[in-house]
Amino acid sequence: MLLLHLVACGFVALGRLHDDSRGWPYHDGLLAGREHEPGVLYARAVYWACVTMTTVGFGDIIPLTIEEMLYTSATMFIGAYTAYAAIGLIMAELV
């Protein structure tokens, strides 16, 4: 849960990095007029982090800037590594 929170906070920070409507909060129109409400941004970012870290990737919230794309790639790697490490620990106990 802590990792999910940290990843979501990082994605919110990246979304607020550009003031010219280039980041993810401005893309889908669902946040129209509410892009700057912290609770709304955080809820969408937690959803994005959960979907990205589990490698489901629905594609409804997409990275638009180079920074967001790099962050998304790192998040996918961290999510996969965390899952594989957990599976490895469980398998080590079973063998």
Side-chain angles (χ1 to χ4, degrees):
M1 291 300 292
L2 177 63
L3 183 60
L4 188 68
H5 167 73
L6 293 174
V7 168
C9 287
F11 202 55
V12 168
L14 282 175
R16 292 180 164 192
L17 190 62
H18 302 286
D19 291 333
D20 57 359
S21 302
R22 288 191 299 157
W24 69 269
Y26 305 96
H27 173 69
D28 58 13
L30 290 176
L31 298 177
R34 300 174 61 191
E35 297 92 356
H36 300 290
E37 292 181 27
V40 174
L41 277 178
Y42 180 72
R44 300 266 305 168
V46 167
Y47 165 77
W48 170 86
C50 197
V51 167
T52 302
M53 291 182 74
T54 57
T55 67
V56 174
F58 291 124
D60 52 348
I61 301 174
I62 59 172
L64 297 174
T65 64
I66 294 296
E67 295 90 357
E68 291 171 357
M69 290 177 194
L70 292 171
Y71 191 76
T72 300
S73 297
T75 300
M76 286 187 280
F77 177 77
I78 290 168
Y81 178 78
T82 303
Y84 297 147
I87 291 170
L89 289 173
I90 291 169
M91 293 306 292
E93 292 295 321
L94 293 176
V95 173

